């Protein structure tokens, strides 16, 4: 799940509420990637079309940083990553953001065509 709200706050409140303990030096996404590795599974992640600059500042939402953390965590343990978009976006700006991750993805599913 792309829980990017409050990602920029030290508490990572939205992630912690969802059960992802991604704070105090703990990398929840690496822990999740290790489970995927143990089963030989591919990790699928969302919000690849989203940019930090498009989010309201009061939400401390940083989807780009979150995607980067997930990609780094998965690759650090040898897990393939597939991706998808979260929003119905049909603009070039969102498409370019998706393409920026192309070299690090095993596959991509374009949702909401």
């Amino acid at each position: 799940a792309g829980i990017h709200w409050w990602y920029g706050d030290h508490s990572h409140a939205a992630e912690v509420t969802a059960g992802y303990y991604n704070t105090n030096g703990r990398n929840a996404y690496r822990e999740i990637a290790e489970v995927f590795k143990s089963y030989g599974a591919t990790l699928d992640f969302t919000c690849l079309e989203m940019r930090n600059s498009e989010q309201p500042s009061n939400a401390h939402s940083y989807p780009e940083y979150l995607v980067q953390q997930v990609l780094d965590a998965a690759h650090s343990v040898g897990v393939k990553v597939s991706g998808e978009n979260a929003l119905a976006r049909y603009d070039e700006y969102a498409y370019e953001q998706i393409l920026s991750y192309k070299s690090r993805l095993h596959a991509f599913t374009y949702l909401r065509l």
Side-chain angles (χ1 to χ4, degrees):
I3 306 172
H4 49 85
W5 311 276
W6 295 101
Y7 184 85
D9 187 80
H10 74 279
S11 71
H12 288 250
E15 292 166 298
V16 172
T17 300
Y20 294 58
Y21 194 75
N22 191 43
T23 188
N24 294 332
R26 190 164 163 186
N27 186 340
Y29 301 100
R30 183 180 171 99
E31 294 171 11
I32 292 167
E34 288 169 349
V35 173
F36 277 68
K37 172 82 172 172
S38 71
Y39 288 97
T42 298
L43 191 153
D44 186 66
F45 203 71
T46 189
C47 72
L48 271 65
E49 80 288 4
M50 300 174 78
R51 294 180 188 256
N52 296 341
S53 61
E54 297 175 320
Q55 309 308 310
S57 61
N58 64 341
H60 300 278
S61 175
Y62 293 99
E64 289 178 77
Y65 298 157
L66 174 59
V67 170
Q68 203 60 48
Q69 182 182 358
V70 170
L71 290 171
D72 291 346
H75 289 124
S76 74
V77 298
V79 170
K80 292 179 182 175
V81 179
S82 294
E84 59 190 48
N85 56 304
L87 305 171
R89 297 273 304 262
Y90 311 106
D91 57 284
E92 190 73 23
Y93 194 58
Y95 183 66
E96 288 172 3
Q97 182 65 12
I98 293 166
L99 288 179
S100 75
Y101 300 114
K102 182 180 175 182
S103 67
R104 301 191 68 192
L105 297 175
H106 174 69
F108 182 82
T109 302
Y110 201 110
L111 301 174
R112 299 163 185 90
L113 284 174

